[in-house]
């Protein structure tokens, strides 16, 4: 992306946002950071990863107890043959899950060498980093991806009014393209560091304001990615992250802005109600996620997640695992999401139309319940 297409944000502010999410010294294991990015198969090569009861393992073990199942012949062999079969399947998934570098620990030099801050970037730790040559400095897709999500700001929500729209089309940079009752969200949209060449294109706004009881989640629970679905036919190279350039004197301080092309921005008004992972799932590998992007059985492969705080704005890819969490206490929650222009499918029965904005001709309108079996 050329400089004239860079987002119009204060570089120091954007770097400050990334540092707000900087892992503490206790959370950084330099030996682990040096391994990233890495396929889960390689990252866990010397460890035993225990998979849960859900999904394939449940089906296989249940089949050994079902008199009508051909798997009945495996009964009494659960600790040998069945274990070997399942370990093969688990390893198969592990080849298509990648653990990524926390965005706060990545950057680039002026000569376009990628930086990885193995000891963090605070105090003098910024000097203790690796310079990685002959690699892509833009995180893009699964094969070339090295960042799954990034903190990129904080937002203040407008007063709630029970607004509830999903994937409502609007035009980037044009407040008047929003319905009157949603124009109060234009400021939040403009705080998303989208690229200048996306101004004038159709984006998609989700706003969900509602009272949520304790132990209940407002949005979709369970580990999932956003693809397939609205991105199922979208070009993979339209979602990318390029880290900012380090100051010529080093010190771990960035001189310039991160660049976010495509992808998804989101935030909520209640802490600890969304969780996201530094991981990427290969959406093109058959069967790794269900038709709605569900991938609960991959949880043991993706490490520790990050719970987002109130007003924390993040960017993520359509292949980044995430989930909504139950609220700790009852109360009102506001959820905000902006999806990039690179959408391929729009579900008429689930999404919200906008009389001010037509869908692009390239977007396929799908009717019917997308969750129907």
């Amino acid at each position: 992306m050329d400089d004239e297409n860079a987002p119009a944000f204060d570089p120091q502010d954007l770097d400050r946002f990334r540092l707000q999410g900087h892992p503490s010294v206790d959370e950084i294991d330099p030996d682990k950071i040096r391994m990233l990015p890495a396929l889960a198969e390689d990252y866990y090569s010397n460890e035993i990863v225990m998979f849960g009861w859900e999904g394939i393992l449940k089906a296989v073990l249940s089949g050994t107890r079902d008199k009508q199942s051909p798997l009945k012949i495996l009964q009494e062999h659960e600790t040998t043959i069945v274990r070997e079969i399942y370990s093969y399947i688990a390893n198969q998934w592990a080849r298509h899950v990648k653990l990524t570098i926390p965005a706060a620990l990545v950057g680039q030099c002026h000569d376009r060498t990628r930086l990885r801050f193995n000891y963090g970037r605070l105090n003098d730790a910024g000097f203790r980093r690796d310079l990685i040559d002959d690699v892509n400095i833009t995180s893009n897709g699964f094969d070339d991806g090295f960042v799954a999500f990034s903190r990129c700001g904080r937002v203040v929500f407008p007063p709630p009014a029970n607004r509830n729209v999903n994937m409502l089309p609007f035009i980037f940079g044009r407040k008047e393209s929003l319905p009157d009752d949603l124009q109060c969200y234009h400021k939040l949209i403009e705080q998303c560091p989208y690229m200048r060449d996306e101004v004038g294109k159709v984006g998609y706004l989700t706003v969900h304001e509602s009272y949520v009881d304790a132990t209940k989640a407002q949005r979709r629970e369970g580990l999932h990615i956003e693809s397939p679905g609205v991105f199922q036919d979208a070009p993979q190279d339209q979602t990318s992250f390029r880290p900012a350039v380090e100051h010529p004197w080093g010190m771990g301080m960035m001189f310039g802005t991160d660049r976010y092309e495509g992808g998804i921005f989101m935030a909520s008004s209640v802490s600890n109600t969304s969780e996201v992972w530094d991981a990427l799932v290969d959406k093109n590998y058959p069967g790794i996620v269900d038709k709605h992007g569900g991938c609960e059985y991959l949880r043991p492969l993706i490490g520790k997640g990050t719970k987002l705080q109130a007003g924390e704005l993040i960017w993520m890819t359509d292949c980044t695992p995430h989930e909504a969490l139950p609220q700790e206490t009852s109360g009102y929650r506001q959820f905000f999401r902006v999806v990039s222009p690179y959408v391929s499918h729009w579900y008429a029965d689930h999404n919200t139309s906008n009389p001010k904005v037509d869908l692009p001709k390239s977007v396929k309108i799908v009717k019917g319940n997308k969750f129907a079996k």
Side-chain angles (χ1 to χ4, degrees):
M1 193 65 65
D2 295 333
D3 288 342
E4 62 265 20
N5 291 326
F9 291 87
D10 185 329
Q12 292 183 347
D13 282 345
L14 281 179
D15 192 47
R16 190 178 306 118
F17 292 137
R18 269 214 289 166
L19 277 173
Q20 284 177 348
H22 193 290
S24 68
V25 175
D26 294 338
E27 295 176 309
I28 295 176
D29 182 342
D31 292 332
K32 295 288 187 181
I33 296 296
R34 286 193 183 94
M35 295 175 64
L36 301 175
L39 296 178
E41 180 182 48
D42 299 327
Y43 191 83
Y44 294 116
S45 60
N46 296 320
E47 301 177 25
I48 297 177
V49 180
M50 300 301 295
F51 279 71
W53 169 248
E54 295 299 323
I56 296 171
L57 181 58
K58 180 179 179 180
V60 172
L61 291 180
S62 296
T64 65
R65 298 296 188 269
D66 184 350
K67 294 181 180 179
Q68 305 300 318
S69 172
L71 295 174
K72 177 69 167 55
I73 62 173
L74 296 177
Q75 189 172 354
E76 308 300 334
H77 297 284
E78 290 85 353
T79 61
T80 55
I81 298 176
V82 173
R83 181 176 180 178
E84 181 65 21
I85 292 173
Y86 190 65
S87 67
Y88 173 80
I89 296 172
N91 287 336
Q92 185 180 31
W93 299 140
R95 299 184 189 112
H96 298 277
V97 173
K98 179 182 285 187
L99 300 173
T100 56
I101 310 171
L105 303 182
V106 69
Q108 63 167 305
C109 294
H110 284 272
D111 62 358
R112 299 197 171 188
T113 299
R114 189 195 301 170
L115 297 172
R116 183 179 56 217
F117 298 94
N118 303 316
Y119 294 84
R121 286 171 51 201
L122 301 179
N123 302 321
D124 64 346
F127 291 103
R128 303 162 71 186
R129 74 253 203 266
D130 285 342
L131 280 72
I132 310 171
D133 297 314
D134 300 323
V135 295
N136 199 332
I137 61 166
T138 299
S139 179
N140 171 253
F142 182 79
D143 291 337
D144 292 325
F146 55 87
V147 166
F149 83 94
S150 176
R151 292 173 169 90
C152 48
R154 288 192 174 274
V155 296
V156 176
F157 282 81
N162 290 319
R163 304 174 187 90
N164 190 358
V165 298
N166 190 59
M167 292 292 291
L168 177 135
F170 71 96
I171 299 176
F172 279 105
R174 298 181 189 173
K175 181 178 181 179
E176 67 276 10
S177 71
L178 292 166
D180 292 347
D181 65 329
L182 290 169
Q183 290 189 5
C184 55
Y185 273 89
H186 182 254
K187 181 177 180 180
L188 276 72
I189 294 172
E190 290 303 295
Q191 286 184 257
C192 299
Y194 61 87
M195 306 307 291
R196 285 179 181 163
D197 63 355
E198 292 174 347
V199 172
K201 294 182 180 180
V202 175
Y204 302 87
L205 173 67
T206 296
V207 171
H208 192 173
E209 302 175 340
S210 66
Y211 186 87
V212 183
D213 292 325
T215 74
K216 302 294 184 181
Q218 183 191 52
R219 305 288 296 178
R220 179 180 174 183
E221 293 184 86
L223 198 67
H224 64 280
I225 63 175
E226 293 299 322
S227 187
V230 297
F231 292 99
Q232 61 191 47
D233 294 332
Q236 191 171 17
D237 61 357
Q238 294 294 344
T239 300
S240 64
F241 167 87
R242 179 180 291 186
V245 178
E246 188 184 42
H247 191 280
W249 289 355
M251 303 178 294
M253 299 303 296
M254 296 297 115
F255 185 75
T257 61
D258 296 328
R259 298 184 180 185
Y260 307 89
E261 183 174 6
I264 301 159
F265 297 96
M266 73 175 190
S268 86
S269 63
V270 181
S271 295
N272 302 323
T273 53
S274 297
E275 190 166 9
V276 65
W277 275 261
D278 282 305
L280 295 170
V281 176
D282 184 0
K283 65 181 180 181
N284 295 317
Y285 187 72
I288 196 166
V289 297
D290 64 28
K291 65 179 181 179
H292 307 301
C295 53
E296 183 63 37
Y297 56 90
L298 297 179
R299 192 180 292 270
L301 292 175
I302 59 176
K304 180 182 177 182
T306 298
K307 294 180 180 179
L308 305 183
Q309 300 307 298
E312 189 171 25
L313 179 67
I314 69 159
W315 172 91
M316 67 179 183
T317 80
D318 59 322
C319 298
T320 302
H322 61 285
E323 67 175 336
L325 300 174
Q327 287 195 190
E328 298 169 357
T329 59
S330 299
Y332 217 86
R333 183 179 190 255
Q334 293 171 270
F335 174 80
F336 162 79
R337 181 183 67 196
V338 169
V339 176
S340 72
Y342 310 109
V343 160
S344 62
H345 289 62
W346 193 84
Y347 294 87
D349 289 14
H350 299 267
N351 299 341
T352 309
S353 60
N354 182 356
K356 296 182 177 184
V357 178
D358 293 330
L359 289 169
K361 292 181 180 180
S362 60
V363 175
K364 180 179 180 180
I365 300 176
V366 182
K367 296 183 179 181
N369 186 346
K370 69 177 182 179
F371 295 109
K373 294 183 179 180

